Amino acid sequence: MSGGTVTVGEAARLTGVSAKMIRWYEARGLLPPAARSAAGYRHYGEADIRTLQFVRRARDLGFDVEAIGELLALWHDRDRPSAAVKAIAQSRIAELRRRIAALEGMARSLERLAEDCCGDGRPECPILDDLAAGEGKPVKSG
Amino acid sequence: MSGGTVTVGEAARLTGVSAKMIRWYEARGLLPPAARSAAGYRHYGEADIRTLQFVRRARDLGFDVEAIGELLALWHDRDRPSAAVKAIAQSRIAELRRRIAALEGMARSLERLAEDCCGDGRPECPILDDLAAGEGKPVKSG
DNA sequence: ATGGAGCTTCCCACCGTGGGAAGGTCAAGG
DNA sequence: CCTTGACCTTCCCACGGTGGGAAGCTCCAT
């Protein structure tokens, strides 16, 4: 083989996916079983490395394992309709937007409360008051 | 009795914290061990219910169990400096902002890619191309 | 007294990741 | 040849929160 094959550790270094996670992805079926040496060591060729880089990038974009599996399948399918890929991306975008909105709501509430808290040595604290009173006052507009 | 005491299930209904989580919070030390009936049933009084509501509200604001524990302690301490509470809130805000920024970066990258993907029946797909090529092109400015 | 709702504890699962133990392998150096 | 140390293998455990469910007990209404 042109490029020579590498062990998990090397593959991890080359791709930024930890050896632990590489094995885990394989066990989960995200990656096909790696080739093994006589002694049982996993070995990765150039194509495997490219796959791992794909996985890493997808992971960095917030796709979960299942979605990455679907993306890999589409990647390998030369006849895929780009609409299928786009659909996955868009549902991920929607999920990300949902989570962002939830966190944003929390952050805004807390910022409002922290603003009202003088934050000195005195015990009066609107933050605790809010937590204690806590009528479902989600974020409101102001 | 003024309020009467209630069982876990009732407390769950009153506070929106599931019975399962109430037991778990107790096991984790977030809540003091509940009073028990002769038969071993947990019983909660009005103060306990208020505490659970406090916990629920704090949880909804994105505090983790450890932070909620600290907030509870400060809540019970009449001499607390409000600065201590504010500090916790602010570090939580910072954490939320960090997570929001990370998710926002992912969402923006994906949106950019999805925009470039015509999403029809043809196989050409800039999303997959990006995942495959994936040089660390984080989010950039656009 | 019986049925069913509700309680108890305990275990298992998820997701993605890391830590570490126990043991096998490989290459380098003595 | 043998040791050493880095690396590999598998397996188990943990995290944070949450839910599911089993086995067994209790309580209340009929």
Side-chain angles (χ1 to χ4, degrees), chain A residues 1-141:
Chain A
M1 0 148 182
S2 55
T5 63
V6 297
T7 59
V8 251
E10 204 65 31
R13 258 164 255 131
L14 289 171
T15 61
V17 181
S18 74
K20 215 97 179 182
M21 290 314 297
I22 294 177
R23 297 193 196 101
W24 186 76
Y25 289 149
E26 180 185 331
R28 305 263 26 219
L30 183 59
L31 304 172
R36 301 288 189 130
S37 74
Y41 282 28
R42 287 175 179 80
H43 279 275
Y44 298 89
E46 292 181 9
D48 303 309
I49 297 300
R50 276 191 293 274
T51 299
L52 279 168
Q53 281 163 344
F54 183 104
V55 169
R56 168 147 159 59
R57 175 95 178 115
R59 195 188 58 178
D60 287 351
L61 282 173
F63 290 99
D64 58 23
V65 192
E66 193 190 337
I68 297 177
E70 294 166 16
L71 290 170
L72 275 176
L74 290 169
W75 187 40
H76 291 324
D77 175 6
R78 294 189 189 183
D79 298 332
R80 79 234 158 190
S82 64
V85 183
K86 192 167 182 172
I88 295 177
Q90 278 172 335
S91 90
R92 196 60 22 185
I93 289 168
E95 171 65 17
L96 287 168
R97 287 283 165 224
R98 238 174 288 133
R99 284 162 59 187
I100 288 169
L103 296 180
E104 190 68 45
M106 298 176 194
R108 270 214 274 273
S109 296
L110 278 177
E111 277 160 357
R112 198 158 35 78
L113 290 170
E115 223 172 297
D116 292 348
C117 176
C118 55
D120 57 11
R122 285 167 300 166
E124 292 80 28
C125 180
I127 301 176
L128 290 179
D129 290 350
D130 179 280
L131 288 171
E135 294 312 320
K137 207 212 266 174
V139 147
K140 271 204 161 172
S141 49

Side-chain angles (χ1 to χ4, degrees), chain B:
Chain B
M1 32 200 131
S2 56
T5 64
V6 297
T7 60
V8 251
E10 204 66 30
R13 256 164 259 133
L14 289 171
T15 61
V17 182
S18 73
K20 212 96 179 188
M21 290 314 297
I22 294 177
R23 296 193 196 101
W24 185 76
Y25 289 149
E26 180 184 330
R28 305 274 359 237
L30 182 60
L31 304 172
R36 301 288 189 129
S37 73
Y41 282 27
R42 286 174 180 79
H43 279 275
Y44 299 88
E46 291 181 9
D48 303 308
I49 296 301
R50 276 190 294 273
T51 299
L52 279 168
Q53 281 163 342
F54 182 103
V55 169
R56 165 141 159 68
R57 175 96 178 115
R59 196 188 58 179
D60 288 350
L61 283 173
F63 289 100
D64 59 22
V65 192
E66 193 190 337
I68 297 178
E70 294 166 17
L71 289 170
L72 275 175
L74 290 169
W75 187 39
H76 291 324
D77 174 6
R78 295 192 189 181
D79 297 334
R80 79 236 159 188
S82 64
V85 183
K86 192 167 182 173
I88 295 176
Q90 277 170 336
S91 89
R92 195 60 22 183
I93 289 168
E95 171 65 17
L96 287 168
R97 286 284 165 222
R98 238 174 288 132
R99 283 162 60 189
I100 288 169
L103 297 180
E104 189 68 45
M106 298 175 194
R108 271 213 275 271
S109 296
L110 278 177
E111 277 160 357
R112 198 158 35 78
L113 290 169
E115 223 171 299
D116 292 348
C117 175
C118 55
D120 58 10
R122 284 167 299 165
E124 293 80 28
C125 181
I127 301 175
L128 290 179
D129 291 349
D130 180 281
L131 288 171
E135 294 311 320
K137 206 208 274 173
V139 146
K140 275 208 156 170
S141 49

